[in-house]
Amino acid sequence: MEEELAKQDRAWIEINLDNLEYNINQIKSIISNKCKIMAIVKANAYGHGIIEISKKLNEIGIQDFAVATLSEGIKLRENNIKGNILILGYTDLKDVEHIINYDLIQTIVDYEYAKRIEQMKLSNKLKVHIKINTGMNRIGESYKNLDNLIKIYQMKNIEILGTYSHFCVADSRKNDDIKFTNEQINNFFGCIDKIKNLGYDTGKVHIQASYGILNYPNLDCDFVRPGIIMYGIYNEDEPKIKLNLKPVLSLKAKVTDVKEILKGESVSYGRTFIARENKKIATVSIGYADGYPRNLSNKNVKVKVNGEYAEIIGRICMDQLIIDVSNIKAIHQGDIVTLIGEEDEISVERIAHGADTITNELLSRLGDRLGRIII
């Protein structure tokens, strides 16, 4: 019933779970049999719906997940998602017992963080993965600080299940960026070898996110961490390995009004569009409050309605936008408009490029007032 109501609403997202499974199998085809997938479902599964996506992943055998926050991890557990759930970001130490109670795994963001955990009185050991900073310089204890890393492995309050790092330019095929990524690889595995040679168990090792998988597929890791490619999407850079992926998400809304305007009349706020000739226009029930970027206004961006493409004109409003439907003979109130779909003209990649951003940001900003429908 909820899905049917959402479909009748003003704007919604359609999720193709068959395409999700297909993409998972595509990723599996280029990783070793001993390597498992840790599915990245943070930011509401990149706008796709964290529960819908995670339940499907559980059904097809995925038992390892990564989120950004404690609340995301708790949401998965409260919706009966099974397996390991790693929190990739910082969690305030006042909430450590929640991590333990919900059987989550916390990232050790640096030595000082680990030291504070070691000084706490906990009900049980805290399950963790240790983050090693190999050049991203975001979070993680530096690979250069081997003494501090060893002290973390010696701590009694934590159960170390894994050790990982993160690339910062793995998507680039520029020579300097390839060189830098290879330096990160050497920094990481060199540090792992030193730790192991001193007799410590690093647990499961992982470093490859989406473009690490595609451009550096032969690394000896226990996990890969697909994010954007799991959802069937690339960014602008051409990877070394290009899988035949299928988009999981499409974004749709409804025509709410159709009217004729005369030459010289304006459309929407700011009068940024003035008709050079008589036109037929339609208002569509979606706007920037839903996550559709306002900076796509007046950029020749297209949508699809009744099998034809129409261009967005005028400024995109908070809850509505306007399209030029002069070339569409039959269009009526209630017709469905596709703003993001599989076709190149309305692909996530093209829309993100038009908004001067990346696909990850565009998708993760799609708002909660959009219904999510499984098709």
Side-chain angles (χ1 to χ4, degrees):
M1 174 63 74
E2 184 179 346
E3 288 185 359
E4 288 305 311
L5 287 174
K7 192 162 187 175
Q8 294 167 11
D9 202 356
R10 46 182 292 283
W12 65 93
I13 286 169
E14 293 182 359
I15 302 296
N16 188 322
L17 294 180
D18 289 339
N19 284 358
L20 177 67
E21 182 174 3
Y22 171 86
N23 295 336
I24 288 291
N25 289 331
Q26 288 289 297
I27 295 165
K28 285 181 177 179
S29 73
I30 62 168
I31 62 176
S32 73
N33 292 332
K34 82 174 188 69
C35 187
K36 294 183 178 181
I37 287 176
M38 179 185 290
I40 307 299
V41 294
K42 63 181 179 174
N44 202 21
Y46 290 49
H48 291 66
I50 189 170
I51 302 308
E52 298 89 339
I53 292 296
S54 299
K55 283 184 175 179
K56 177 62 176 181
L57 291 170
N58 255 177
E59 287 175 12
I60 62 176
I62 300 298
Q63 293 289 312
D64 297 279
F65 298 87
V67 295
T69 66
L70 172 62
S71 61
E72 289 175 336
I74 291 173
K75 187 172 184 178
L76 291 181
R77 287 293 187 232
E78 289 181 340
N79 284 273
N80 300 312
I81 301 303
K82 308 300 182 186
N84 301 307
I85 301 172
L86 172 63
I87 300 170
L88 295 169
Y90 173 88
T91 301
D92 194 301
L93 294 186
K94 67 179 174 54
D95 295 322
V96 163
E97 286 293 342
H98 292 306
I99 301 172
I100 294 170
N101 292 339
Y102 282 95
D103 191 25
L104 305 174
I105 305 168
Q106 175 59 41
T107 289
I108 296 296
V109 300
D110 62 15
Y111 171 65
E112 291 301 320
Y113 188 73
K115 190 165 66 172
R116 289 167 61 201
I117 293 171
E118 186 68 0
Q119 294 166 352
M120 299 176 72
K121 293 182 179 179
L122 302 178
S123 59
N124 286 292
K125 285 188 175 184
L126 179 68
K127 295 179 179 179
V128 304
H129 282 210
I130 296 172
K131 179 73 176 286
I132 296 179
N133 173 22
T134 56
M136 178 85 166
N137 290 324
R138 189 169 59 179
I139 62 171
E141 186 63 33
S142 174
Y143 73 96
K144 299 174 184 177
N145 298 333
L146 185 61
D147 289 346
N148 283 349
L149 285 166
I150 295 303
K151 289 176 185 176
I152 297 173
Y153 284 94
Q154 293 171 339
M155 291 180 180
K156 306 299 183 186
N157 249 359
I158 58 176
E159 180 183 355
I160 299 168
L161 302 180
T163 305
Y164 74 104
S165 190
H166 190 60
F167 294 132
C168 53
V169 283
D171 55 337
S172 173
R173 301 307 293 157
K174 295 178 182 177
N175 289 335
D176 285 349
D177 291 335
I178 292 171
K179 179 182 177 183
F180 189 88
T181 303
N182 282 323
E183 288 173 359
Q184 283 194 272
I185 292 168
N186 293 334
N187 293 341
F188 181 63
F189 286 103
C191 190
I192 292 292
D193 288 343
K194 289 174 184 176
I195 294 167
K196 287 182 175 179
N197 289 337
L198 289 170
Y200 298 99
D201 184 1
T202 57
K204 302 295 186 182
V205 170
H206 48 109
I207 193 171
Q208 298 147 289
S210 287
Y211 274 78
I213 299 167
L214 299 176
N215 286 332
Y216 303 87
N218 298 319
L219 301 182
D220 186 18
C221 290
D222 298 295
F223 288 125
V224 292
R225 306 189 305 262
I228 196 69
I229 63 171
M230 186 170 70
Y231 304 106
I233 297 157
Y234 289 103
N235 62 26
E236 293 183 357
D237 295 290
E238 188 76 14
K240 184 177 181 180
I241 297 175
K242 184 112 184 230
L243 298 173
N244 181 29
L245 302 174
K246 297 180 179 181
V248 175
L249 174 151
S250 57
L251 176 63
K252 299 187 178 182
K254 289 184 177 179
V255 171
T256 59
D257 189 50
V258 181
K259 61 170 59 72
E260 304 281 345
I261 63 170
L262 301 176
K263 178 181 178 181
E265 290 191 301
S266 61
V267 170
S268 194
Y269 288 117
R271 303 187 71 243
T272 59
F273 178 88
I274 308 292
R276 296 181 179 179
E277 57 190 2
N278 295 350
K279 284 188 175 294
K280 180 169 61 174
I281 65 172
T283 303
V284 183
S285 55
I286 192 169
Y288 62 76
D290 302 292
Y292 197 80
R294 184 176 182 271
N295 67 349
L296 289 175
S297 303
N298 297 306
K299 287 190 176 178
N300 304 316
V301 175
K302 293 181 173 56
V303 301
K304 194 170 187 180
V305 55
N306 295 340
E308 302 287 343
Y309 291 110
E311 190 173 296
I312 296 173
I313 57 174
R315 284 187 182 159
I316 295 169
C317 308
M318 182 179 285
D319 315 298
Q320 303 173 83
L321 57 81
I322 300 164
I323 57 177
D324 180 355
V325 294
S326 302
N327 66 319
I328 301 176
K329 292 182 180 178
I331 184 165
H332 306 92
Q333 189 175 69
D335 285 350
I336 293 175
V337 179
T338 302
L339 296 99
I340 296 176
E342 291 194 25
E343 300 93 331
D344 182 64
E345 287 286 348
I346 53 172
S347 66
V348 176
E349 291 90 343
R350 178 163 290 204
I351 301 301
H353 180 78
D356 193 27
T357 187
I358 58 173
T359 53
N360 306 46
E361 181 187 6
L362 177 66
L363 291 171
S364 63
R365 289 173 61 184
L366 296 176
D368 285 339
R369 72 180 188 179
L370 294 167
R372 283 164 175 80
I373 302 162
I374 306 302
I375 61 171

